[in-house]
Amino acid sequence: IHIAASDVSSKSTRTKIIMVSFDACKAKMEAEGISKSAISAFESTFKSLVSGNTGCIPESTISPVSELISATSISSNPDTSLLKETVLLKLNGGLGTGMGLDKAKSLLTVKGDDTFLDLTAKQVMKMRETYGFNVKFMLMNSFSTSNDTMEHLASNFSELSKEEGLEMLQNKVPKLNVDTLEPATCAKDPENEWCPPGHGDLYAALIGSGRLDALLKGGYKYMFVSNSDNLGATLDLKILTHFAATDAPFMMECCERTENDKKGGHLAVRNADKQLILRESAMCADEDESAFQDVTKHKFFNTNNLWIRLDKLKEIVDKFGGFIPLPMIKNSKTVDPKDDSSQKVVQLETAMGAAIECFEGATAIVVPRTRFAPVKKCNDLLLLRSDAYVITDEYTTLLNPDCGGTAPVIDLDSKKYKLVGALELATKDGIPSLVQCKRLKIKGLVRMSKKTKFIGSVSVTNSSDESKMIPLGDVADATLDLTSNSGLGPLKADFIKSGPISGQKPGTSGLRKKTKEFMTEHYTNNFVQATFDALKTNGTDISVGTLVVGGDGRYFNDETIQTIIKMGVANGVKRFWIGQNGLLSTPAVSAVIRERGPEWQKAFGAFILTASHNPGGPEEDFGIKYNCENGGPAPENLTDAIYSNTTTITGYNICKSFPNIDITSAGSVTVKSDDDTADVTVEVISATENHVTLLKTIFDFGAIRSLLDREDFSMVYDCMHGVNGPYAKAVLVDELGQDESVCINADPKDDFNGCHADPNLTYAKELVALMGLNSKGEKIDVSGKSVPSFGAAADGDGDRNMILGSQFFVTPSDSLAIIAACADVIPFFRAQGGLKGVARSMPTSGAVDLVAKDLNFDLFETPTGWKFFGNLMDSKAIFNGKDYTPFICGEESFGTGSNHIREKDGIWAVLAWLSILASVNCDSSKPLVTVEDIVQKHWAKYGRNYYCRWDFEGVNKEKAQKMMQKMRDDTETNAGRTVGKYTIATADDFTYYDPVDGSVSSKQGIRFLMEDGSRVIFRLSGTAGSGATVRMYIEQYQPDKEKLEMQVSNALEDLVTVALELCSIKTYCGTETPTVIT
């Protein structure tokens, strides 16, 4: 039976009833794996609703609570031995959405750098240290707060985070369609179909998770529960001792109500049985509202600080068959909380304090207001962050004694400062002093500073639509009107309304799309704003340090730089480093972040404007990626946050009046606000200086110059009209004294001169021909022409490389192996005791594996993406793990590098090869040892990994995905299958378990591992601007020295045939002809 839909929101009227069943709710919850106790508890509240019960408690059925014992009157001595039987549990399920937060509210910074969670954890650790008991600590997280919370604890309180039984998850319950009371549906986002059941779920969660039985078995008898945002709610030993002495099963901490508390719930006595009960505002009928708000009648409110006897809780649970029947609280909402036009729903909740009526003999105690200090509004947050509160040695909050016993009254404009973001924008120059303030009222948009001290009663008004700065220094007993004051002028932020744009999900290399898509209205702005928002949420203070901006010079580069500067200023960035002419190669950006100083200006991150090796121009590709303070690409948690922000964005901040910056000349420009209270510095820096300076510390430039100066040695470096031209000239010409002719195509073009700046045998046509090869890497007739001894090529953003000898192609996999084997000829490695670790991406051949085994290096096989290498490089510095550096890593896609930066580095690889060549050509009187000689010698020692990659570019993405899924589905049946002369030993979808941070990366490529060690691998590339690229990798190891000179195509012919049969690419994508063979 249920209340007619037209009356479901009524608090006080009984209505007609119709039949309805709980079966649909039960089935939905069981399918979700929700515990029996939680289902039973929800069924109890559901039946209460459908029976016609409104959840109201009429005034006529209750009486006021006249008196309660006061905590200040407790005279018993604290019994520390009780701590070993006590559990401290914090309710941590709230997101703080009312304050504009989208993560656990407990992760909000409240004092210095400490969050609510930090201070609570420190309280627990201090209590353990002080009393010598391992006081049990627990968190009840929700499905919305669990990940953020546990990651924060693991990063900041590692030992605490590993404790058994630390986390207990709050359940979730279905929202109910207001018309049918069936579970509501939301096709747009199924997560919207669920809601938290209120903190009354504490009991069901304790039961369903098995925690209650485990605690009782462990000898725990008492539990203290409070909200995570209430720093006043500490485990008070005196109150615990009193609770134990009373032998009460349940005790509620209450405070005396004031006019400010009249809308909150209160304690009462039920007339029928004289039982203490809790009446919340949602339980009050409209006609009883005046009595409910009468603070002289109903004098006590629930602080949500509760003391519970766990053995008595178990008795009640058993009595009612596995749950506690709590009073129902009914809320009328919409299924999509962000869409008022979506389906109307009923959300059923319970309050944990309402359990007081379930415990016979339950009591309550009056506590000081200091034990009830939740942060519900920005008023509370500003006060707590100010000097009006101090942190004690026990990590508790205490009203500053200089306040004279009374906290200042803060009244911020509720319309302007409802959300935390608005308060943080107003206080980005620091929190003003409030210790001598009695009352502060602010109306309108203002900016405050740590250099301002409020004294006495102060009222500030600003009626303009621009925030104005409150004067610095003492502001005593004043009424200020800032409306006509000067404002920020060119630094004034404008908010431009927009909305989500689909498809802005960044991959491992950032966001890449067609240039024209980036040029559409709001597209670039939305993504940049989503990135700034994600940085702030992840704890990056963008107002400190420097933001680096630069790119590979492709079309739309310069306009985007100006946009990022203006949006950066609007979001709080105060200093920028911009590459001269808008240019910064990807490795150079990493070098600038890591190397450029002084320390107080160190970069916190960078926007890199590149689509790497993809074509450029108005009809081609553009890209934006973000690199973090370690110089490496944004980790997955940050890119996920960026994408999430793009799906909910409502607009972006930009300083429309900020002037365009001349980025053609190095120099610094400072732009000041009209009121002279703020300034922003934009410095245009040399694109090459920091990177080249770093490279000079790594390599022996003298030895390399001696090689280059040999009469029998020549080289050519094809920059492919990408960003690397200036770097090649700076190194080879300016530092190593070579003629400019060694650098070809060295002038950056915004369309790469109409070419595809991808350093491989197919696209580096000019270089390949000069080196006497064809697009398959085979020797061609050069008709007696002189062929350079050494050739190299770079891609659009300078992070990739191709290495060639005279009529000889070095595969990227062999290049990686040879550099690793010869690393000691490079000072960077030799001076640090030699190479320690090497890593390759999974599709890269196993050539480097053989070197690692021979030389006893740590070896890692990772997914494609430089961020995985970065984790290994930072294992010790960031994660306190093993030190794998010095470190070399590489990918078959022409990317090689080391731990000198956190990106692959094309010119580093060129200098590494020149160093190797220099080391074997010290005597200029002897014949030149060539690139081919070095590779042949390596094969003779380690054997040869015959290897090739076929790229099928621009195929239909949906069809390619179906092809990949078919192979994924068939992995079990393919294992053991014989195809041609090969037998498949293992077929799988590669999963990587990161040894540094414990993360798991699945679906990283379909692998067919043959019994003879051969491999066939398939991946869908994530770096194309449009369509999809299927990459097919073929590898066969050959140890026989008599078979090291075969043509790659001949050596792999049979395996290629097998690969094409395994993937059926002709069936799915309509072709077996690759675009590129490497």
Side-chain angles (χ1 to χ4, degrees):
I1 54 179
H2 97 93
I3 307 171
S6 59
D7 298 312
V8 79
S9 63
S10 170
K11 286 184 178 181
S12 57
T13 306
R14 287 278 185 172
T15 63
K16 62 183 181 180
I17 56 178
I18 62 173
M19 299 302 296
V20 72
S21 170
F22 184 68
D23 291 348
C25 291
K26 183 177 181 181
K28 187 178 180 77
M29 296 176 78
E30 286 178 341
E32 196 74 8
I34 293 172
S35 69
K36 289 183 179 179
S37 60
I39 295 174
S40 296
F42 187 61
E43 183 175 14
S44 175
T45 54
F46 180 87
K47 286 181 176 179
S48 180
L49 173 70
V50 300
S51 68
N53 185 358
T54 62
C56 289
I57 300 175
E59 183 70 19
S60 61
T61 66
I62 60 174
S63 298
V65 176
S66 56
E67 295 296 334
L68 292 174
I69 188 171
S70 172
T72 58
S73 66
I74 297 173
S75 58
S76 54
N77 293 322
D79 183 354
T80 57
S81 67
L82 293 171
L83 290 173
K84 62 185 178 183
E85 302 177 87
T86 304
V87 183
L88 168 63
L89 185 145
K90 285 286 186 179
L91 301 176
N92 192 51
L95 287 175
T97 51
M99 296 178 72
L101 304 176
D102 57 1
K103 62 179 179 179
K105 187 177 180 182
S106 62
L107 299 183
L108 181 63
T109 302
V110 290
K111 203 70 179 171
D113 293 327
D114 285 329
T115 65
F116 287 111
L117 187 60
D118 293 332
L119 291 173
T120 298
K122 290 178 179 181
Q123 289 172 8
V124 171
M125 305 298 283
K126 184 65 176 181
M127 183 172 287
R128 291 175 177 180
E129 176 189 330
T130 301
Y131 296 109
F133 293 109
N134 193 32
V135 179
K136 179 72 175 175
F137 176 53
M138 290 179 65
L139 290 166
M140 186 169 85
N141 294 328
S142 69
F143 53 91
S144 300
T145 63
S146 176
N147 289 342
D148 287 343
T149 298
M150 300 311 290
E151 286 175 7
H152 185 87
L153 281 177
S155 298
N156 298 279
F157 302 93
S158 177
E159 293 304 313
L160 189 64
S161 71
K162 298 173 185 176
E163 292 185 358
E164 179 68 26
L166 170 65
E167 181 184 43
M168 180 176 71
L169 277 177
Q170 183 182 33
N171 293 296
K172 56 183 181 180
V173 297
K175 297 176 183 178
L176 304 176
N177 185 309
V178 75
D179 298 319
T180 65
L181 292 195
E182 295 278 324
T185 59
C186 182
K188 180 180 177 182
D189 184 359
E191 284 298 315
N192 283 334
E193 298 172 6
W194 300 90
C195 63
H199 42 61
D201 183 59
L202 166 70
Y203 310 106
L206 278 169
I207 300 158
S209 65
R211 291 286 194 272
L212 178 58
D213 288 338
L215 289 170
L216 289 169
K217 185 177 180 180
Y220 292 99
K221 186 175 182 180
Y222 308 103
M223 175 177 279
F224 175 59
V225 187
S226 62
N227 293 333
S228 61
D229 68 340
N230 184 3
L231 292 174
T234 59
L235 203 165
D236 188 289
L237 192 53
K238 201 170 184 181
I239 297 177
L240 170 61
T241 304
H242 167 76
F243 177 54
T246 63
D247 202 35
F250 183 102
M251 184 170 75
M252 176 185 289
E253 291 189 19
C254 297
C255 283
E256 294 185 356
R257 295 173 91 200
T258 68
E259 281 298 308
N260 291 332
D261 310 307
K262 66 182 181 180
K263 293 184 179 180
H266 65 78
L267 197 62
V269 176
R270 188 164 54 208
N271 293 335
D273 56 5
K274 306 305 179 187
Q275 176 70 35
L276 284 175
I277 66 170
L278 178 65
R279 181 168 70 160
E280 300 283 3
S281 58
M283 299 173 170
C284 176
D286 293 340
E287 59 266 27
D288 292 332
E289 196 71 31
S290 59
F292 177 87
Q293 294 189 17
D294 187 347
V295 298
T296 62
K297 181 178 183 180
H298 296 294
K299 296 190 293 184
F300 306 107
F301 73 89
N302 171 30
T303 62
N304 238 26
N305 303 344
L306 304 179
W307 298 84
I308 304 168
R309 274 273 296 271
L310 296 177
D311 53 340
K312 298 299 183 182
L313 173 60
K314 176 67 173 173
E315 290 176 12
I316 295 175
V317 168
D318 291 342
K319 175 183 175 182
F320 286 100
F323 71 100
I324 293 183
L326 297 175
M328 173 195 72
I329 300 174
K330 180 182 60 183
N331 294 303
S332 298
K333 306 279 186 179
T334 55
V335 68
D336 184 347
K338 297 177 181 178
D339 183 1
D340 292 340
S341 66
S342 62
Q343 172 65 51
K344 288 182 168 52
V345 295
V346 173
Q347 293 183 194
L348 299 183
E349 299 179 7
T350 57
M352 68 174 184
I356 193 169
E357 67 180 65
C358 301
F359 289 86
E360 186 177 349
T363 64
I365 185 172
V366 178
V367 295
R369 281 273 175 166
T370 53
R371 288 188 62 75
F372 181 68
V375 173
K376 301 299 182 185
K377 297 180 179 180
C378 287
N379 293 339
D380 308 319
L381 185 58
L382 177 63
L383 188 60
L384 187 57
R385 287 178 170 178
S386 78
D387 57 0
Y389 278 89
V390 295
I391 301 297
T392 69
D393 292 341
E394 289 74 35
Y395 298 103
T396 60
T397 54
L398 178 71
L399 184 66
N400 192 323
D402 291 342
C403 286
T406 303
V409 177
I410 307 299
D411 182 10
L412 300 180
D413 190 320
S414 60
K415 292 183 179 180
K416 304 296 185 183
Y417 299 104
K418 180 181 180 181
L419 306 181
V420 171
L423 177 65
E424 294 188 335
L425 192 61
T427 57
K428 66 180 183 180
D429 290 330
I431 306 295
S433 172
L434 295 173
V435 70
Q436 295 182 46
C437 183
K438 300 301 180 185
R439 179 180 294 272
L440 173 64
K441 182 176 181 178
I442 292 177
K443 187 72 173 176
L445 293 170
V446 300
R447 287 176 288 123
M448 298 178 249
S449 167
K450 62 184 177 182
K451 297 178 181 180
T452 297
K453 179 187 291 185
F454 292 112
I455 301 172
S457 295
V458 177
S459 176
V460 181
T461 301
N462 174 26
S463 300
S464 73
D465 61 356
E466 178 185 358
S467 64
K468 301 295 178 65
M469 176 64 83
I470 294 174
L472 307 184
D474 292 355
V475 180
D477 294 310
T479 299
L480 305 178
D481 188 340
L482 308 179
T483 304
S484 60
N485 289 16
S486 296
L488 289 170
L491 306 189
K492 176 183 178 292
D494 299 289
F495 181 76
I496 308 300
K497 291 183 179 180
S498 63
I501 299 173
S502 63
Q504 291 195 320
K505 184 174 179 62
T508 56
S509 301
L511 179 67
R512 293 184 187 173
K513 299 287 182 181
K514 287 298 182 184
T515 305
K516 284 188 174 179
E517 192 164 357
F518 272 98
M519 294 174 71
T520 58
E521 186 179 26
H522 305 316
Y523 193 94
T524 298
N525 307 79
N526 270 18
F527 186 75
V528 171
Q529 185 63 54
T531 304
F532 281 129
D533 290 343
L535 290 173
K536 294 174 185 178
T537 300
N538 281 23
T540 299
D541 186 351
I542 66 174
S543 68
V544 176
T546 306
L547 177 65
V548 182
V549 189
D552 59 17
R554 66 182 57 229
Y555 192 86
F556 197 51
N557 184 77
D558 293 358
E559 296 92 326
T560 304
I561 288 175
Q562 301 295 341
T563 296
I564 291 173
I565 293 172
K566 293 178 181 183
M567 291 187 64
V569 175
N571 280 279
V573 179
K574 294 183 177 180
R575 177 175 290 275
F576 298 83
W577 286 331
I578 312 297
Q580 188 175 359
N581 294 312
L583 301 178
L584 281 174
S585 72
T586 293
V589 168
S590 189
V592 169
I593 293 174
R594 296 176 65 82
E595 301 294 327
R596 190 176 181 86
E599 186 66 31
W600 64 273
Q601 293 182 6
K602 291 288 287 184
F604 62 79
F607 281 99
I608 309 177
L609 310 181
T610 178
S612 188
H613 56 290
N614 291 350
E619 304 298 327
E620 298 296 346
D621 297 341
F622 191 77
I624 302 178
K625 65 178 288 190
Y626 185 82
N627 278 32
C628 296
E629 67 276 4
N630 71 336
E636 194 167 0
N637 68 320
L638 181 56
T639 56
D640 285 348
I642 293 170
Y643 175 61
S644 177
N645 289 342
T646 68
T647 66
T648 59
I649 194 167
T650 59
Y652 51 88
N653 302 312
I654 186 168
C655 291
K656 293 191 295 184
S657 299
F658 195 87
N660 283 343
I661 301 298
D662 178 5
I663 60 175
T664 61
S665 302
S668 183
V669 175
T670 297
V671 180
K672 293 188 175 184
S673 63
D674 287 352
D675 61 6
D676 209 30
T677 62
D679 58 64
V680 170
T681 299
V682 182
E683 184 178 358
V684 178
I685 64 173
S686 164
T688 61
E689 180 184 0
N690 293 110
H691 192 204
V692 173
T693 299
L694 177 61
L695 292 171
K696 289 169 66 177
T697 69
I698 296 170
F699 299 102
D700 183 345
F701 272 42
I704 294 173
R705 181 164 187 166
S706 295
L707 169 73
L708 297 176
D709 287 345
R710 284 180 61 136
E711 290 186 4
D712 59 352
F713 185 88
S714 60
M715 73 164 285
V716 61
Y717 192 178
D718 186 355
C719 302
M720 302 188 78
H721 289 294
V723 74
N724 223 41
Y727 298 87
K729 291 178 181 178
V731 170
L732 296 171
V733 179
D734 298 342
E735 296 292 340
L736 295 173
Q738 303 306 299
D739 189 83
E740 284 195 13
S741 61
V742 302
C743 303
I744 64 173
N745 302 318
D747 296 322
K749 305 282 188 180
D750 66 3
D751 64 349
F752 307 128
N753 209 37
C755 298
H756 193 156
D758 192 354
N760 58 45
L761 294 168
T762 298
Y763 293 122
K765 296 176 182 178
E766 183 179 354
L767 173 70
V768 171
L770 283 171
M771 299 304 294
L773 297 170
N774 63 19
S775 62
K776 294 181 180 180
E778 299 165 341
K779 294 181 180 180
I780 60 174
D781 181 8
V782 295
S783 302
K785 292 181 181 178
S786 175
V787 176
S789 313
F790 180 80
D795 67 336
D797 67 327
D799 63 351
R800 301 186 184 215
N801 72 94
M802 179 171 65
I803 302 298
L804 302 168
S806 179
Q807 293 197 291
F808 190 84
F809 168 63
V810 184
T811 70
S813 297
D814 281 341
S815 178
L816 170 65
I818 292 166
I819 293 173
C822 302
D824 274 354
V825 308
I826 300 171
F828 178 83
F829 300 106
R830 186 173 62 247
Q832 297 182 71
L835 189 63
K836 289 183 183 177
V838 294
R840 63 170 174 84
S841 65
M842 180 272 289
T844 302
S845 93
V848 76
D849 302 29
L850 302 170
V851 175
K853 182 178 180 180
D854 179 45
L855 300 180
N856 197 31
F857 299 149
D858 286 312
L859 171 68
F860 302 92
E861 180 184 35
T862 75
T864 298
W866 214 258
K867 64 183 180 181
F868 299 103
F869 297 148
N871 256 17
L872 294 164
M873 295 177 195
D874 290 329
S875 174
K876 180 176 177 63
I878 294 180
F879 298 96
N880 296 316
K882 182 177 178 179
D883 187 1
Y884 299 115
T885 61
F887 189 85
I888 286 176
C889 47
E891 298 176 334
E892 49 70 37
S893 53
F894 297 90
T896 326
S898 82
N899 61 290
H900 68 293
I901 56 173
R902 294 299 180 267
E903 289 280 5
K904 47 185 173 277
D905 191 345
I907 201 166
W908 175 93
V910 172
L911 290 169
W913 266 96
L914 291 174
S915 297
I916 295 168
L917 284 164
S919 72
V920 294
N921 288 288
C922 296
D923 188 346
S924 61
S925 66
K926 293 182 178 180
L928 183 72
V929 179
T930 67
V931 170
E932 184 174 358
D933 293 335
I934 291 170
V935 176
Q936 294 282 7
K937 183 178 179 181
H938 182 87
W939 288 344
K941 179 176 182 178
Y942 291 105
R944 181 176 181 182
N945 293 74
Y946 282 101
Y947 180 91
C948 72
R949 185 183 94 189
W950 285 23
D951 289 0
F952 300 87
E953 297 178 338
V955 299
N956 182 280
K957 189 171 186 178
E958 184 178 347
K959 291 179 179 179
Q961 289 172 333
K962 287 181 178 178
M963 181 189 78
M964 295 293 290
Q965 188 58 48
K966 181 66 167 58
M967 288 190 285
R968 191 174 289 119
D969 294 339
D970 290 347
T971 52
E972 287 189 18
T973 56
N974 274 325
R977 175 184 168 195
T978 298
V979 188
K981 67 179 184 181
Y982 297 93
T983 299
I984 302 171
T986 301
D988 65 10
D989 195 348
F990 180 59
T991 297
Y992 178 64
Y993 301 90
D994 196 307
V996 176
D997 65 11
S999 62
V1000 178
S1001 300
S1002 57
K1003 295 186 176 181
Q1004 295 299 311
I1006 307 297
R1007 303 190 301 175
F1008 297 95
L1009 310 181
M1010 309 303 176
E1011 287 185 351
D1012 69 347
S1014 301
R1015 298 193 307 162
V1016 175
I1017 295 164
F1018 294 90
R1019 289 184 60 251
L1020 271 181
S1021 171
T1023 60
S1026 60
T1029 298
V1030 175
R1031 301 199 194 280
M1032 182 175 81
Y1033 310 84
I1034 312 294
E1035 177 183 8
Q1036 183 166 296
Y1037 176 61
Q1038 181 55 262
D1040 189 340
K1041 293 184 179 180
E1042 300 301 318
K1043 298 181 179 180
L1044 300 180
E1045 298 292 335
M1046 297 176 66
Q1047 286 287 345
V1048 175
S1049 57
N1050 294 334
L1052 298 177
E1053 184 177 7
D1054 291 342
L1055 197 54
V1056 167
T1057 300
V1058 168
L1060 293 173
E1061 180 180 340
L1062 287 170
C1063 70
S1064 300
I1065 193 168
K1066 181 71 176 288
T1067 301
Y1068 284 95
C1069 300
T1071 183
E1072 285 187 347
T1073 303
T1075 314
V1076 178
I1077 296 179
T1078 303

